[in-house]
Amino acid sequence: MSVTIESTAATDPVRKPPWYRSLFLQLLVAIVAGILVGKLWPGFGADLKPLADGFIKLIKMVIAPIIFCTVVLGIAHVGDMKAVGRIGVKALIYFEVITTFALLFGLLVGNLVQPGAGFHVDAQTLATGAEKIAKTTKNGELPHTVDFLLNIIPTSVISAFAENALLQVLFFAVLFGLALAKFGEHRGTAAGGVGKNSPPVILQAVDHIGKIFFTIIGWIMKLAPLGAFGAMAYIVGQYGLSALSSYGKLIACCYGAAVLFLLVLAVVVRVFAGVSLWKLLKYIKDELFLALGTASTEVVLPRIMIKLTEAGCSRATTGLVIPTGYSFNLDGATLYLSICVLFLAQALGVDLSLGEQITAVGVLMLTSKGMAGVPGSSFLALSATITAIGHGSIPVAAVALLLGADRLMDSMRVTVNLLGNCVATFVVAKWEGQLDSERMRKVLDGEEVPPLEDKDPMVAYTGKEARALVPGG
């Protein structure tokens, strides 16, 4: 006898919220207001940073348990260790291919555009650059590859959640979900088939806890415009808009490369998953604007996971690909780093050979994987790359040249990073046969779709929780 848990929201009429309650509109107004405040009153604007920091901390507070609940439910639903392994392997293969392409694409653009040409920087004037970089990065360093991989295994389950180490939480969630699925099999067998389809109490508990945390996210998201306002006012007030003229060519080069790279992603997601990137952009426009306003993709992680699930990607695929991609699939960051390597060389009048550029790509392939969550990670990655190239005419202190422009690149990086991970989820889901293409088409076209239903009682995050996160919800 199967047990079904019905959602009362399935029978609720779908009402379109008033225009003034649109998150997209609220974020747009907040971002414009932040820019104006930062421009007109830079000192006051710079002091508004706590608004953004507080909002980001609120989101980070619930990310780890949301990832845990989502992944456990998804894995338990699949119940097949081989299938979970295939999703993980395919995701990593995709990540490596696309990020390597981003690095090579960035080098191509940097060689053609020559963003550092005309700077004529004297290396002798960079004596204090190392001190500035150390202050920005808080004397930190990127983990070595072996350390990075070993750090995926948490010292303890509690420490993974306490330190908000998302990869460690993901690692434990996968193991917990697989063990829970195995427990369900033994439970059904021991009962002689009676009650085999009834979910273990712990699984129902995980489901309810997940819904509780999504309710909390709904409350926190009401503060999103305030967080975006504070972040934008701080950026403009602290760094000003004068850097646009000083680093105009570099900024134009990076943003132009990002647009071209997004066209490549559009082809990839259309060919391999049948998804229109333009429709996807419209579908996640609220999350995109929030990421742009706060210069952080972590703040939209819970909403992106639920939206991709609502758009037809399986919970298991979404739960594995999105959190992993936040560390392994930083397309925007890798694109930016490869362009910056050439910018620094060109600014100092150094002509990097093909071999030195290939060395740079190899180093960035490794260092870019450990960037997530590390303060000043882009400067650390560039410093490690310049050191590996070993060109005496490019001192490591030259990285300080980017201090005035780096913050202005955040919009480019978060946009490409976020869209890159969304594309990866659709591609891997299609590759693994876990993409409901008909549902995806209807959702992206803005058509009404029924709430997600499971054949087993492991209930998805649907009903009011899900519809509040999708257009018209």
Side-chain angles (χ1 to χ4, degrees), residues 94 98 261-282 419-420 422-428 430-431 435 437-438 440-442 444-445:
Y94 176 87
I98 204 71
F261 186 80
L262 290 180
L263 294 178
V264 174
L265 288 181
V267 173
V268 170
V269 75
R270 168 64 76 177
V271 171
F272 292 101
V275 176
S276 165
L277 186 65
W278 176 247
K279 291 181 179 179
L280 177 60
L281 279 169
K282 291 193 293 183
L419 286 173
C422 290
V423 167
T425 305
F426 278 110
V427 171
V428 174
K430 182 70 172 181
W431 192 359
L435 175 65
S437 298
E438 181 62 20
M440 176 269 295
R441 182 192 64 78
K442 289 182 178 180
L444 295 188
D445 284 343

Side-chain angles (χ1 to χ4, degrees), residues 97-167:
V97 170
I98 204 71
T99 52
T100 301
F101 175 79
L103 287 170
L104 295 174
F105 186 74
L107 286 181
L108 175 64
V109 172
N111 278 296
L112 292 176
V113 178
Q114 300 278 317
F119 266 70
H120 306 299
V121 175
D122 184 358
Q124 300 298 322
T125 64
L126 300 173
T128 61
E131 296 177 5
K132 294 179 180 178
I133 294 298
K135 182 178 179 181
T136 301
T137 60
K138 299 179 181 178
N139 291 308
E141 61 179 17
L142 293 176
H144 297 293
T145 303
V146 175
D147 294 334
F148 172 70
L149 295 175
L150 286 176
N151 284 337
I152 294 176
I153 305 173
T155 304
S156 71
V157 174
I158 295 176
S159 69
F161 285 90
E163 297 170 7
N164 213 31
L166 300 188
L167 280 181

Side-chain angles (χ1 to χ4, degrees), residues 334-408:
T334 52
L335 184 67
Y336 166 72
L337 290 173
S338 58
I339 292 175
C340 285
V341 169
L342 290 180
F343 168 79
L344 294 176
Q346 293 160 6
L348 291 164
V350 176
D351 185 18
L352 292 180
S353 66
L354 179 60
E356 289 170 331
Q357 292 189 33
I358 293 175
T359 299
V361 169
V363 175
L364 288 173
M365 285 175 62
L366 297 175
T367 56
S368 62
K369 301 299 185 292
M371 289 176 58
V374 180
S377 56
S378 59
F379 298 110
L380 292 172
L382 285 171
S383 299
T385 304
I386 289 173
T387 301
I389 292 175
H391 202 300
S393 300
I394 309 179
V396 175
V399 177
L401 290 173
L402 295 167
L403 286 172
D406 184 75
R407 200 66 175 81
L408 298 174

Side-chain angles (χ1 to χ4, degrees), residues 303-350:
R303 288 175 62 97
I304 282 295
M305 290 175 69
I306 196 65
K307 274 200 165 183
L308 293 181
T309 304
E310 184 70 15
C313 297
S314 73
R315 234 172 310 137
T317 303
T318 304
L320 286 171
V321 174
I322 290 295
T324 309
Y326 270 51
S327 289
F328 289 90
N329 191 41
L330 303 174
D331 298 339
T334 52
L335 184 67
Y336 166 72
L337 290 173
S338 58
I339 292 175
C340 285
V341 169
L342 290 180
F343 168 79
L344 294 176
Q346 293 160 6
L348 291 164
V350 176

